[in-house]
């Protein structure tokens, strides 16, 4: 409307009645355009699309409940449909696309670590560990955690819950009959490589503690160090970090985080 008035001020002053009609038509057209743009924007937003789908499912559930039982049952069913979908999507959410699957152990640890951000912890997920000067990667740190209590390389593992987990003299870790020596050695090697890379970037020693968070079987201890690798139940990942003494300043945390972000590339580039 205002564009038309600016482009034709003489016509507007001379024929006010006709212009009023045009303004009304223009407002109606603008409203239609705004509605169209709004709908297009909604359809382009994944979160909005998800809520549109939820709404449609809720309406179907409401009608089904109303037809089969009564209004209250229909409304209850509609609410349950929306809640179930919200929970399902929340459980699948992750900053790493490769982890957006039904039961990724990495995603469960990621969710725990997010709650530590307000305590000054910074986290990089799914980072490749370069093996040589050419940047060839031979390993992956699921979660590199940098915070007041130090630097940690956490690997998340989903093991068969039917098989017990046990240790022998802090030197061996068994899952049922399987000796997990290779897995522990790999975790320790990844942490050692990260430590060397970060120290070279920041100019001071950066110890990186390796650990394995296990989901599935029951773990009969809180934290056990086996072959220099901390082993614990996956749901204890947050508790494992938050009660440790402070050894790094906020400035140190930022420096190490920035160095790690540049030196350790994402394992799954977007």
């Amino acid at each position: 409307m205002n564009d038309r008035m600016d482009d034709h001020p003489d016509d507007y002053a001379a024929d006010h009645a006709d212009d009023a009609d045009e303004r009304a038509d223009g407002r109606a057209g603008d409203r239609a355009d705004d509605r169209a743009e709004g709908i297009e924007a909604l359809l382009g937003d994944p979160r909005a699309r998800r809520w549109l789908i939820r709404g449609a499912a809720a309406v179907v559930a409401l009608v089904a409940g109303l037809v089969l039982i009564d209004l209250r049952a229909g409304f209850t069913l509609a609410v349950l449909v929306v809640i179930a979908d919200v929970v399902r999507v929340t459980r699948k959410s992750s900053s790493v696309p490769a982890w957006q699957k039904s039961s990724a152990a990495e995603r469960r640890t990621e969710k725990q670590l997010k709650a530590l951000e307000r305590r000054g912890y910074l986290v990089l997920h799914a980072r490749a560990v370069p093996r040589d000067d050419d940047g060839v990667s031979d390993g992956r740190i699921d979660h590199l955690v940098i915070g007041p209590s130090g630097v940690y390389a956490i690997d998340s593992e989903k093991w068969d819950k039917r098989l017990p987990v046990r240790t022998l003299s802090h030197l061996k870790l068994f899952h049922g009959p399987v000796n997990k020596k290779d897995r522990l050695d790999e975790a320790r090697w990844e942490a050692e490589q990260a430590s060397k890379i970060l120290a070279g970037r920041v100019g001071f020693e950066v110890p990186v503690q390796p650990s394995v968070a296990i989901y599935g079987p029951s773990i009969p201890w809180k934290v056990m160090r086996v072959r220099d690798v901390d082993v614990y139940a996956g749901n204890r990942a947050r508790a494992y970090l938050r009660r440790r003494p402070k050894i790094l300043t906020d400035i140190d945390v930022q420096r190490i985080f920035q160095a790690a972000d540049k030196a350790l590339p994402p394992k799954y580039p977007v």
Side-chain angles (χ1 to χ4, degrees):
M1 180 187 72
N2 290 334
D3 290 343
R4 201 195 68 81
M5 290 169 60
D6 291 341
D7 292 341
H8 308 283
D10 295 337
D11 290 346
Y12 178 76
D15 197 349
H16 184 279
D18 289 343
D19 189 62
D21 292 337
E22 291 181 10
R23 288 206 309 273
D25 293 340
R27 283 196 296 269
D30 289 343
R31 286 195 294 270
D33 291 342
D34 289 343
R35 285 195 295 270
E37 291 176 1
I39 293 172
E40 183 178 354
L42 282 174
L43 294 177
D45 186 340
R47 291 175 298 181
R49 286 201 304 272
R50 170 53 55 188
W51 277 106
L52 288 173
I53 293 172
R54 287 172 183 157
V59 170
V60 172
L62 175 61
V63 172
L66 180 60
V67 172
L68 297 176
I69 309 176
D70 57 25
L71 180 60
R72 178 177 296 179
F75 180 75
T76 301
L77 183 59
V79 171
L80 290 176
V81 166
V82 173
I83 291 175
D85 190 66
V86 170
V87 171
R88 181 184 65 82
V89 173
T90 300
R91 287 179 176 176
K92 290 179 64 177
S93 64
S94 172
S95 62
V96 180
W99 295 349
Q100 293 176 358
K101 297 180 180 180
S102 57
S103 60
E106 295 92 343
R107 190 178 64 251
R108 296 172 67 179
T109 302
E110 178 187 8
K111 184 177 179 180
Q112 292 187 67
L113 297 177
K114 187 173 181 60
L116 291 176
E117 292 178 357
R118 62 179 179 273
R119 294 175 177 263
Y121 286 84
L122 302 175
V123 186
L124 294 170
H125 299 286
R127 290 292 166 145
V129 182
R131 183 175 185 175
D132 54 30
D133 294 336
D134 296 329
V136 177
S137 175
D138 194 48
R140 181 193 79 199
I141 296 175
D142 290 339
H143 321 276
L144 185 69
V145 184
I146 304 154
S149 62
V151 183
Y152 306 85
I154 301 177
D155 283 344
S156 297
E157 296 278 318
K158 179 69 178 297
W159 292 358
D160 189 337
K161 66 180 179 180
R162 296 170 296 180
L163 301 178
V165 176
R166 59 189 176 88
T167 64
L168 180 61
S169 302
H170 296 269
L171 295 176
K172 295 182 179 181
L173 177 69
F174 292 92
H175 178 218
V178 180
N179 188 337
K180 288 293 185 176
K181 174 182 179 298
D182 290 345
R183 185 64 193 90
L184 295 179
D185 289 347
E186 181 183 7
R188 188 175 66 249
W189 178 85
E190 292 168 351
E192 289 172 351
Q193 297 304 306
S195 177
K196 293 176 183 177
I197 292 169
L198 295 176
R201 289 271 182 162
V202 299
F204 56 84
E205 185 178 358
V206 182
V208 178
Q209 176 60 47
S211 73
V212 176
I214 302 171
Y215 295 88
S218 175
I219 307 299
W221 59 77
K222 290 185 177 180
V223 179
M224 180 79 72
R225 185 159 293 183
V226 186
R227 299 183 66 82
D228 297 323
V229 178
D230 290 339
V231 180
Y232 47 87
N235 59 9
R236 291 192 57 82
R238 181 169 57 188
Y240 165 70
L241 294 167
R242 66 184 179 185
R243 293 189 176 92
R244 293 172 175 263
K246 181 176 180 179
I247 61 173
L248 294 177
T249 66
D250 293 342
I251 295 176
D252 290 336
V253 170
Q254 287 292 339
R255 287 184 63 188
I256 296 172
F257 175 80
Q258 292 171 8
D261 194 24
K262 294 179 180 178
L264 302 175
K267 184 70 174 181
Y268 309 109
V270 179

